[in-house]
């Protein structure tokens, strides 16, 4: 019987299949070893340079003591000086930062005309007491030689401005910004002279190290001189094309000027009919050699509904609404209808504006107003009809008007318990100048309004008198995005030609209320009768000041002081004490304008006749 020895351990039996070992365990083991070693290195580096052990350093700059303006600019622009409170993690990183700033410093000095400048920079001292030192040797500053201008084509009708006007005359420091700005100014001058395609072909600067002078040569291609042709309007919508073309503020054939293109855009934007207005010059002239002006328009919806509300302790709740059609007959005719309902007033007011009447920029305006008022001094029902011309003057923001108004009213004078009917014809001549930056929330600029209105008696109960009204306001701030705005206003109104009692009670002058002397009730800042009712006056003087502070993008506060009163005399009587009110307010800056809430107190309170405080709520600033 044949026996078989067992196979040796670890050696597969003969004839069995050899299976190769899988490499994954060995690779996994090697990867783990590498990762552990990397983590160890990172931990050791972290222990050597913990986050709070960045090297503290100081920085100095020497060699520019004779150029304080350049010295200050460099301190602002170099990272090494700006980031001393946030230093790099270690000394090698700081050294790289210093070297980058050294190169930047050289570039800055060359841009200032120091082309031979030498700058050394380095780090001195031990860890935590390092000093980054920059040493500048500026050498002599290069100066400008008389510049040269080459025109293409050579017979161009372009008349270049004097080099002195471009701040580029001989002898000035050869600063690169000066040369670049002069080149841009040459192109702009060409545009202003009717060359819209002007471009700078080459700007060549030659440096002479022997004389330390810079020679600048400009090569300007003016392109063709352009005269404007027809205005081509794309997609005017429902607006009459002839009305739009009449609004163009120049005649065909005039030389091109950038302002004429902008004036064209403003002419169409000013109609209020379009949400988008784009104006550009055609790429080629027409058959007559004139260049058409292309206008692209996107029409707005012509109708608008409005609604609002207000409240004050002296007048109660008031709601108002309105409807407007900005293109009633297709030529920009604007019909507005407004309704105001309150505890003390009901007013319906309608106006129709016909633009560009007879000539461009002149509007014909019709108005009709029905008013029912219950005031502290009187109760009245009045119908007023008017027509007038309104024309832009002293643009931008200037408007002059001459109108004719007829007013028929029945007035109950509460002081005398006398009801009288009046019929007056007035002819107001007014001038408005608005140089403020926002009609609802001005932060800069000023506004001025003046009006002279003779009033002629039509019926026997009425009297002749002349009314002059004058208002001015001023706004000031200290930055482009102001948080603090100071605003002030003044008003002076006078009445000539009639005695106090002969003037209709609804035509007398009154002060007090949310738009006048806050802290006093409506019409209460003035003379009162024995029962405490206001009697109005023939003159009025009022001043006010506000400090408006914006806490956030949408919320702000106001502190205000108002002073004024009405006087029975023709001119303000300085022997009578002005009534003063003061208070605080809150503003919510909404998309439709500031929502106003003011609380005012009378500082010259006249016993029970004046409430201890007044509350006012409305849309828009007080002035």
């Amino acid at each position: 019987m044949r026996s078989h020895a067992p196979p040796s351990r670890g050696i597969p039996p003969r004839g069995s299949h050899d299976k190769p070992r899988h490499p994954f365990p060995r690779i996994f083991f090697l990867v783990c070893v590498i990762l552990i070693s990397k983590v160890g290195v990172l931990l050791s580096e972290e222990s050597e340079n913990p986050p709070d052990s960045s090297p503290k350093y100081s920085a100095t700059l020497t060699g520019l003591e004779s150029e304080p303006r350049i010295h200050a600019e460099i301190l602002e622009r170099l990272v090494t000086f700006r980031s001393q409170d946030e230093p790099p993690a270690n000394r090698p990183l700081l050294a790289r930062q210093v070297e980058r700033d050294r190169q930047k410093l050289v570039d800055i000095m060359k841009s200032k005309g120091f082309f031979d400048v030498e700058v050394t920079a380095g780090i001195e001292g031990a860890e935590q007491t390092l000093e980054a030192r920059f040493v500048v040797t500026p050498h002599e500053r290069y100066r400008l030689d008389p510049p040269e201008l080459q025109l293409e084509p050579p017979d161009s009708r372009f008349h270049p401005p004097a080099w002195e006007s471009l701040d580029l005359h001989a002898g000035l420091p050869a600063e690169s910004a000066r040369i670049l700005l002069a080149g841009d100014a040459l192109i702009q001058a060409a545009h202003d002279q009717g060359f819209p395609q002007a471009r700078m072909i080459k700007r060549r600067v030659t440096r002479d190290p022997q004389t330390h002078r810079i020679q600048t040569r400009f090569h300007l291609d003016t392109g063709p001189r352009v005269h404007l042709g027809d205005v081509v309007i794309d997609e005017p919508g429902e607006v009459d094309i002839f009305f739009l073309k009449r609004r163009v503020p120049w005649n065909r054939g005039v030389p091109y000027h950038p302002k004429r293109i902008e004036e064209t855009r403003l002419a169409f934007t000013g109609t209020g009919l379009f949400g988008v207005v784009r104006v550009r010059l055609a790429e080629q002239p027409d058959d007559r050699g004139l260049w058409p002006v292309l206008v692209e328009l996107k029409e707005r919806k012509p109708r608008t509904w409005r609604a609002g509300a207000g409240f004050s302790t002296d007048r109660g709740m008031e709601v108002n609404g309105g409807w407007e059609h900005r293109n009633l007959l297709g030529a920009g005719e604007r019909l507005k209808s407004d309704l105001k309902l309150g505890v003390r007033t009901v007013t319906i007011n309608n106006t129709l504006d016909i633009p560009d009447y007879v000539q461009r920029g002149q509007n014909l305006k019709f108005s009709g107003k029905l008013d029912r008022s219950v005031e502290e001094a009187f109760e009245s029902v009045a119908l007023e009809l008017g027509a007038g011309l309104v024309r832009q003057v002293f643009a931008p923001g200037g408007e002059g008007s001459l109108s004719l108004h007829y007013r028929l009213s029945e007035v109950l004078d509460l002081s005398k318990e006398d009801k009288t009917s009046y019929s007056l014809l007035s002819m107001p001549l007014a001038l408005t100048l608005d140089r403020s930056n926002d009609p609802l929330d001005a932060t800069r600029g000023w506004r001025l309004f003046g009006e002279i209105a003779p009033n002629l008696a039509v019926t026997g109960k009425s009297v002749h008198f002349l009314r002059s009204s004058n208002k001015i306001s001023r706004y000031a701030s200290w930055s482009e995005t102001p948080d603090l705005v100071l605003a002030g206003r003044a008003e002076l109104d006078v009445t000539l030609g009639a005695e106090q009692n002969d003037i209709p009670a609804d035509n007398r002058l009154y002060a007090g209320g949310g738009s006048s002397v806050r802290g006093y009730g409506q019409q209460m800042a003035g003379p009162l009768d024995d029962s405490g009712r206001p009697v109005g006056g023939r003159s009025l003087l009022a001043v006010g000041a506000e400090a408006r502070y914006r806490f956030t993008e949408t919320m702000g506060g106001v502190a205000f002081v108002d002073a004024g009163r009405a006087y029975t005399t023709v001119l303000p009587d300085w022997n009578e004490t002005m009534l003063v009110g003061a208070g605080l307010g809150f503003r919510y800056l909404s998309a439709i304008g500031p929502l106003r809430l003011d609380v005012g107190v009378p500082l010259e309170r006249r016993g029970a006749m004046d409430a201890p405080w007044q509350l006012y709520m409305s849309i828009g600033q007080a002035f």
Side-chain angles (χ1 to χ4, degrees):
M1 189 172 178
R2 209 170 162 185
S3 62
H4 300 279
S8 301
R9 182 173 296 180
I11 302 175
R14 185 182 301 273
S16 65
H17 297 285
D18 294 333
K19 294 183 179 180
R21 294 186 178 182
H22 201 285
F24 177 78
R26 186 174 300 172
I27 294 174
F28 179 77
F29 175 78
L30 291 175
V31 170
C32 289
V33 170
I34 293 172
L35 289 176
I36 292 173
S37 63
K38 290 291 185 182
V39 171
V41 171
L42 291 175
L43 290 176
S44 63
E45 289 180 353
E46 185 70 18
S47 63
E48 292 176 0
N49 295 285
D52 60 349
S53 64
S54 299
K56 307 297 183 184
Y57 73 91
S58 61
T60 60
L61 172 64
T62 59
L64 291 176
E65 291 74 16
S66 61
E67 299 287 346
R69 183 176 61 87
I70 299 177
H71 186 279
E73 180 181 343
I74 289 173
L75 296 183
E76 287 291 328
R77 295 180 60 180
L78 297 192
V79 177
T80 303
F81 291 93
R82 289 190 287 107
S83 304
Q84 295 181 59
D85 294 334
E86 299 177 0
N90 50 52
R91 182 167 181 157
L93 290 178
L94 177 60
R96 286 198 288 271
Q97 175 181 290
V98 169
E99 176 58 25
R100 286 195 298 268
D101 278 346
R102 189 192 72 82
Q103 294 291 341
K104 184 185 293 186
L105 200 160
V106 171
D107 294 339
I108 294 173
M109 293 298 294
K110 289 184 177 181
S111 72
K112 303 298 182 182
F114 295 94
F115 292 97
D116 300 329
V117 65
E118 296 179 14
V119 179
T120 60
I123 302 174
E124 299 179 358
E127 295 293 337
Q128 305 304 318
T129 59
L130 300 178
E131 180 183 9
R133 299 188 60 188
F134 294 84
V135 180
V136 181
T137 305
H139 295 295
E140 186 174 348
R141 195 175 197 178
Y142 282 65
R143 301 282 170 172
L144 293 174
D145 271 343
E148 296 179 1
L149 175 62
Q150 179 181 348
L151 295 178
E152 184 69 35
D155 58 349
S156 173
R157 297 172 59 188
F158 172 60
H159 300 285
W163 294 117
E164 288 77 7
S165 66
L166 303 182
D167 196 25
L168 203 67
H169 54 85
L172 289 176
E175 298 181 356
S176 58
R178 192 190 306 275
I179 297 172
L180 293 173
L181 290 174
D184 294 340
L186 282 171
I187 296 175
Q188 185 61 51
H191 290 173
D192 293 344
Q193 294 183 32
F195 300 91
Q197 298 179 358
R199 64 186 183 91
M200 191 64 66
I201 299 176
K202 185 184 298 182
R203 184 187 290 108
R204 183 178 179 183
V205 178
T206 305
R207 176 163 53 99
D208 187 348
Q210 300 298 322
T211 61
H212 295 92
R213 308 294 284 190
I214 291 291
Q215 175 67 56
T216 308
R217 295 178 178 87
F218 297 96
H219 189 182
L220 178 68
D221 181 3
T222 63
R225 192 164 192 261
V226 169
H227 290 76
L228 301 181
D230 292 326
V231 175
V232 180
I233 299 176
D234 182 31
E235 297 295 335
E238 300 296 325
V239 186
D240 181 58
I241 191 72
F242 297 103
F243 160 70
L244 293 177
K245 289 191 174 183
R246 284 200 307 270
R247 292 192 63 82
V248 178
W250 43 265
N251 298 320
R252 185 175 59 184
V254 300
Y256 167 88
H257 195 289
K259 289 183 178 180
R260 291 197 170 99
I261 301 299
E262 178 61 14
E263 288 171 353
T264 305
R265 188 188 68 81
L266 293 176
F268 292 122
T269 303
T271 63
L273 302 176
F274 305 103
V276 176
V277 178
R278 297 188 179 95
V279 183
R280 60 186 177 89
L281 195 65
E283 296 181 359
Q284 297 292 334
D286 58 21
D287 296 339
R288 294 165 294 181
L290 302 178
W291 295 66
V293 176
L294 309 181
V295 180
E296 179 185 350
L297 304 173
K298 184 176 181 180
E299 191 176 10
R300 294 173 57 195
K301 294 181 178 180
R303 299 172 184 84
T304 300
W305 289 92
R306 300 182 303 276
F311 174 81
S312 61
T313 51
D314 58 353
R315 296 189 62 83
M317 188 71 182
E318 291 183 349
V319 296
N320 57 77
W323 175 84
E324 179 181 24
H325 196 306
R326 290 179 293 275
N327 193 32
L328 185 66
L329 302 176
E333 300 88 355
R334 177 172 297 190
L335 176 64
K336 292 177 63 176
S337 181
D338 293 291
L339 172 65
K340 179 187 288 187
L341 297 175
V343 177
R344 292 178 172 270
T345 184
V346 177
T347 303
I348 301 174
N349 190 24
N350 297 282
T351 60
L352 174 64
D353 285 357
I354 300 176
D356 296 338
Y357 180 73
V358 179
Q359 56 182 309
R360 183 174 59 245
Q362 179 172 272
N363 294 358
L364 177 62
K365 183 173 183 178
F366 298 97
S367 63
K369 181 179 179 181
L370 181 63
D371 180 76
R372 172 77 170 93
S373 297
V374 178
E375 302 290 351
E376 296 291 339
F378 61 85
E379 296 180 7
S380 70
V381 177
L383 172 66
E384 186 172 336
L385 302 174
L389 291 175
V390 181
R391 182 167 179 79
Q392 297 177 1
V393 294
F394 305 118
E399 185 177 272
S401 65
L402 176 63
S403 54
L404 184 67
H405 291 263
Y406 174 73
R407 180 179 175 87
L408 177 65
S409 63
E410 185 177 71
V411 182
L412 172 61
D413 189 335
L414 297 177
S415 177
K416 298 187 297 183
E417 295 295 332
D418 177 43
K419 180 181 289 188
T420 307
S421 296
Y422 297 95
S423 180
L424 289 172
L425 190 66
S426 64
M427 188 178 296
L429 175 64
L431 173 66
T432 301
L433 294 176
D434 189 345
R435 298 291 194 269
S436 64
N437 63 332
D438 191 316
L440 290 178
D441 188 16
T443 59
R444 296 184 303 277
W446 54 271
R447 298 171 186 159
L448 176 67
F449 171 78
E451 181 184 78
I452 297 177
N455 288 262
L456 305 177
V458 177
T459 63
K461 289 289 186 179
S462 305
V463 295
H464 307 306
F465 61 91
L466 178 69
R467 170 69 47 76
S468 174
S469 302
N470 306 275
K471 299 178 183 179
I472 187 171
S473 57
R474 180 76 169 89
Y475 312 91
S477 58
W478 282 268
S479 65
E480 290 298 322
T481 55
D483 292 328
L484 177 64
V485 176
L486 298 183
R489 65 174 173 181
E491 178 179 359
L492 174 63
D493 302 337
V494 297
T495 308
L496 305 173
E499 296 298 326
Q500 165 83 4
N501 292 331
D502 293 333
I503 301 173
D506 62 340
N507 264 293
R508 297 174 193 161
L509 296 170
Y510 300 91
S515 59
S516 179
V517 183
R518 285 166 287 184
Y520 293 86
Q522 182 75 9
Q523 300 184 339
M524 294 295 292
L528 308 176
D529 63 11
D530 294 338
S531 61
R533 293 185 183 277
V535 298
R538 289 188 290 173
S539 61
L540 180 147
L541 177 63
V543 295
E546 284 189 350
R548 305 169 183 170
Y549 186 77
R550 182 177 296 183
F551 305 118
T552 68
E553 289 294 322
T554 57
M555 291 187 293
V558 171
F560 62 86
V561 177
D562 294 332
R565 66 176 296 143
Y567 302 87
T568 58
T569 53
V570 173
L571 296 174
D573 186 354
W574 300 107
N575 293 322
E576 293 192 51
T577 304
M578 293 184 70
L579 300 175
V580 181
L584 300 173
F586 173 79
R587 301 290 185 269
Y588 177 75
L589 307 176
S590 70
I592 60 174
L595 303 183
R596 174 169 70 108
L597 187 151
D598 288 339
V599 178
V601 296
L603 301 185
E604 304 286 342
R605 191 178 177 193
R606 298 163 295 182
M609 291 181 291
D610 294 321
W613 57 276
Q614 298 284 347
L615 175 69
Y616 312 96
M617 298 174 61
S618 65
I619 298 176
Q621 298 285 5
F623 60 92

